Amino acid sequence: MAFTSASLLLLAAVSLLFLPPARPQSCKSQTFSDANTKFANCADLPTLNAALHWTYDHATRPGPKLSVAFVAPPARPGGWVAWALNPTGSGMVGAQALVAFSGDGGAASVKTYNISSYGPIAESEIAYAVTGRRAEHSGGVIRLFATLELPTGSGGRAINQVWQVGAAVKGGVPVKHEFSAQNLNSMGSLLLTAAEGGGSMPAPAPAPGSGGGGPTPSIPRGNGGGRNHGGGGFFGMVLLGVFLVF
């Protein structure tokens, strides 16, 4: 009987290894430390258990503003998360990136990177004026907040967005991430005013050759409810040339 019980326990333990991963929390049920932080729209992104919350305000001056909260778990504790807009193409080159990670003191911060080439980069200003940069790190998830000032007339068209997560930071610089399908399929389109007040509308990414970094896969259509699905690649090539030095 003792052998049988031990065998059953071993079988149960092994079976846990083959269970599907837990379903990530829907963006609609995500909350922030400040209960007054609200956004008009949210979308569950198709890779890396990531989500985007955003509000687009076309009435602000001198230009419309996009307030965002990007939520994702880093690849490992002590890692980083990143979200970017690319106003000139659908790939890495041209991405205006916000990167969040916790420093040596434990406090999370947000840095900006203008990804102008496949070569090494450094923290820099980006094409958009950025205010309200901050980050939260709790429960194994980093929440990145920022407000970007966009060009007038941005609301009626799709903007390319890219996102990524990594496992480590060295010397204040994110270390290259894995090159799994999840990492290489972290690109899509964001239609700022598609569903103001209740979700997002999927939109096709630009065709290859429009400034992106390779072929653009088709974008699965969501079933509403704030899901914005996209496909493609981004930081895989960035970090190959940028952070490989580490």
Side-chain angles (χ1 to χ4, degrees):
M1 177 66 71
F3 175 79
T4 302
S5 299
S7 299
L8 290 174
L9 288 173
L10 178 61
L11 179 62
V14 172
S15 66
L16 291 175
L17 299 176
F18 297 94
L19 290 176
R23 184 180 180 85
Q25 186 182 29
S26 167
C27 70
K28 288 191 173 182
S29 62
Q30 291 173 342
T31 58
F32 309 110
S33 61
D34 182 354
N36 294 320
T37 301
K38 304 290 184 182
F39 296 89
N41 310 290
C42 78
D44 295 312
L45 301 176
T47 63
L48 302 175
N49 291 338
L52 181 71
H53 303 252
W54 78 97
T55 298
Y56 175 73
D57 186 351
H58 65 87
T60 58
R61 296 291 182 269
K65 290 185 178 180
L66 174 65
S67 297
V68 301
F70 174 71
V71 182
R76 292 180 186 174
W80 53 269
V81 307
W83 178 83
L85 291 178
N86 188 335
T88 60
S90 59
M92 178 277 288
V93 174
Q96 307 297 296
L98 303 168
V99 184
F101 51 86
S102 294
D104 294 336
S109 61
V110 178
K111 297 185 178 182
T112 57
Y113 293 86
N114 180 355
I115 312 299
S116 58
S117 70
Y118 291 108
I121 62 170
E123 182 182 4
S124 63
E125 294 184 354
I126 60 176
Y128 310 106
V130 181
T131 58
R133 286 190 291 172
R134 63 184 180 89
E136 302 172 354
H137 190 188
S138 63
V141 173
I142 296 179
R143 304 165 188 85
L144 181 162
F145 302 87
T147 297
L148 290 73
E149 184 177 312
L150 303 184
T152 301
S154 299
R157 61 183 178 86
I159 297 181
N160 298 308
Q161 63 170 338
V162 287
W163 61 95
Q164 193 54 256
V165 303
V169 177
K170 290 185 178 180
V173 179
V175 175
K176 69 182 180 71
H177 62 77
E178 295 181 359
F179 292 88
S180 69
Q182 285 271 315
N183 296 96
L184 299 178
N185 286 300
S186 297
M187 179 179 70
S189 296
L190 178 66
L191 190 56
L192 300 176
T193 56
E196 194 73 40
S200 67
M201 181 77 71
S210 61
T216 302
S218 60
I219 298 175
R221 294 286 172 172
N223 59 359
R227 302 189 67 84
N228 180 17
H229 296 280
F234 169 54
F235 275 97
M237 293 303 298
V238 176
L239 298 175
L240 180 61
V242 174
F243 301 133
L244 197 56
V245 294
F246 294 87

